[in-house]
Amino acid sequence: MIRRSRVLAATLLAAVLVTASACSSSDDDSSKASGGSTGSSGELKKVTYVTAFGAVGRDSFAWVAKEKGYFKDAGLDVTIQKGAGNAQILGLIKGKQADFAALDFTGAEIQAGKGAFTNWRAIAAIHQQTLVSIMTTADTGITKPTDLNGKTVATASGSVSELLFPAYAKLAGLDPKSVKIQGAQTTALNTLMAQRKVDGLSTFLLSKKALETASKKDVVVMPYSQYLSDLFGNAIIARDDLISSDKDMVKKFTEAAMKGLQYTIDHPDEAAEIMHKDQPTAAVPAAVGEINAMKPYVSPPNGAPLGHLDQERVARSIAILQGNGLMPAGLTPDKVVDFSFIPAS
């Protein structure tokens, strides 16, 4: 099945690469960055960063970078705001109410491919593979994708998890129409599964610990990446006008954020405590669980630097999304990634 995914991607890869332009476009290069004016010599530059989703383990590296002084050393005064998913985050970026953000890269690719949000570029990968997964409790007896035939799976309405499910199911040998997809609020998913109101969830594998806690049962995880291996998970993005007007500042932000990410995966307990100090409602055990769960997905293959986005993989991911009808043809890697910030070597 993995081979079938790669063949599908390869069919469209050439077209994606051939039409890729060498430079990034900008919706409005003349606009100033929000809070982006530089003060007197030595003054920290104020910028706003939005997390992917609230204050949870996967986003703790931002607070680490701030607490450890990595942002300050880069000449930046970073305000961290809690995000609420791709739609809200891309809206803030489009409205120039935020300068940087973390989000699900695959979902953002789909939006860019549809022409909905285009004034951003990814500058670093947080997760080298998509973390979308099917999760269920062990007592359901579901252990492989084909076991979902005739079952009900809950997922966040309109999320990338929902959008990707048909492609995942087909590659896994499952008729997607044989599964009932039930839309729900993200915060309600674990409760639905814990109460056995559904047979499984399509959500991020980083919430495995939370589901185990809610259900008091062992949890079975079936990652989408088993069949959709070229899709990235979360990435850090910047407004394209910022990249055009102050590339050095964007580079410094990227380097500081990657220092925070590296420290976080090396010291998960301390990272969780740092976030909790600033965000008291962020539970430390849950944050530690998320950080440990994402650790295997953070390091790029082949010894590339932390945060590296491989251009050919991005092209293949676009081809997969186009081939499964999730967006029309025309999107090229340069329209969603600036590859200059973390080169392969």
Side-chain angles (χ1 to χ4, degrees):
M1 296 304 172
I2 296 175
R3 181 185 301 171
R4 197 188 320 169
S5 174
R6 289 176 176 167
V7 169
L8 173 63
T11 303
L12 297 171
L13 174 58
V16 172
L17 287 173
V18 168
T19 56
S21 63
C23 59
S24 299
S25 63
S26 173
D27 291 346
D28 184 6
D29 286 342
S30 63
S31 298
K32 292 182 179 179
S34 64
S37 58
T38 304
S40 59
S41 178
E43 182 180 344
L44 297 179
K45 192 165 192 176
K46 296 181 181 295
V47 297
T48 299
Y49 170 84
V50 184
T51 69
F53 193 82
V56 291
R58 75 198 77 166
D59 286 302
S60 59
F61 68 90
W63 282 279
V64 170
K66 188 167 185 174
E67 173 74 14
K68 292 294 180 181
Y70 302 149
F71 286 139
K72 185 177 181 180
D73 291 345
L76 301 172
D77 178 6
V78 179
T79 296
I80 302 172
Q81 295 182 358
K82 291 183 289 186
N86 276 23
Q88 179 248 11
I89 292 166
L90 289 169
L92 292 173
I93 292 290
K94 185 174 184 177
K96 303 188 188 303
Q97 296 168 281
D99 304 300
F100 302 93
L103 45 58
D104 180 81
F105 180 66
T106 299
E109 282 182 293
I110 293 171
Q111 292 296 326
K114 292 178 177 179
F117 296 96
T118 59
N119 68 322
W120 60 272
R121 297 294 182 275
I123 55 177
I126 301 170
H127 309 130
Q128 291 292 318
Q129 289 186 314
T130 180
L131 300 184
V132 177
S133 303
I134 297 294
M135 292 200 299
T136 185
T137 50
D139 60 319
T140 63
I142 297 170
T143 60
K144 57 186 183 298
T146 51
D147 292 337
L148 295 170
N149 187 5
K151 306 295 185 181
T152 298
V153 173
T155 187
S157 300
S159 66
V160 67
S161 302
E162 182 176 16
L163 292 173
L164 287 177
F165 180 78
Y168 163 78
K170 290 175 184 176
L171 292 169
L174 173 69
D175 180 0
K177 295 181 179 179
S178 71
V179 182
K180 179 183 177 181
I181 299 297
Q182 179 176 318
Q185 293 291 326
T186 302
T187 52
L189 293 177
N190 286 343
T191 300
L192 288 171
M193 187 70 245
Q195 296 177 354
R196 287 296 305 276
K197 293 183 178 179
V198 295
D199 302 296
L201 306 176
S202 180
T203 185
F204 291 93
L205 67 81
L206 298 186
S207 60
K208 177 186 176 185
K209 183 67 175 179
L211 179 56
E212 288 175 341
T213 300
S215 66
K216 298 181 173 59
K217 298 172 184 175
D218 291 335
V219 170
V220 175
V221 178
M222 294 177 281
Y224 279 30
S225 60
Q226 182 178 356
Y227 300 94
L228 297 165
S229 59
D230 284 318
L231 302 185
F232 287 86
N234 282 5
I236 297 176
I237 67 169
R239 294 208 323 266
D240 61 356
D241 63 309
L242 274 186
I243 295 173
S244 299
S245 63
D246 199 344
K247 193 162 188 173
D248 183 61
M249 183 272 286
V250 176
K251 182 174 178 59
K252 289 177 178 178
F253 178 92
T254 306
E255 292 172 347
M258 291 301 97
K259 286 181 181 178
L261 179 59
Q262 185 66 64
Y263 194 93
T264 294
I265 61 176
D266 289 341
H267 306 88
D269 294 273
E270 183 183 353
E273 291 287 355
I274 287 172
M275 181 174 66
H276 176 74
K277 183 172 70 172
D278 191 84
Q279 300 289 322
T281 58
V284 170
V288 172
E290 277 208 3
I291 295 167
N292 285 328
M294 81 176 191
K295 190 179 298 187
Y297 298 88
V298 169
S299 297
N302 303 320
L306 192 71
H308 176 65
L309 284 151
D310 179 79
Q311 186 166 355
E312 289 192 1
R313 275 193 62 202
V314 173
R316 289 197 297 268
S317 73
I318 292 171
I320 288 170
L321 299 175
Q322 291 174 349
N324 282 280
L326 295 176
M327 62 184 181
L331 187 70
T332 53
D334 62 289
K335 293 180 180 178
V336 287
V337 180
D338 187 317
F339 296 96
S340 67
F341 292 104
I342 307 182
S345 59

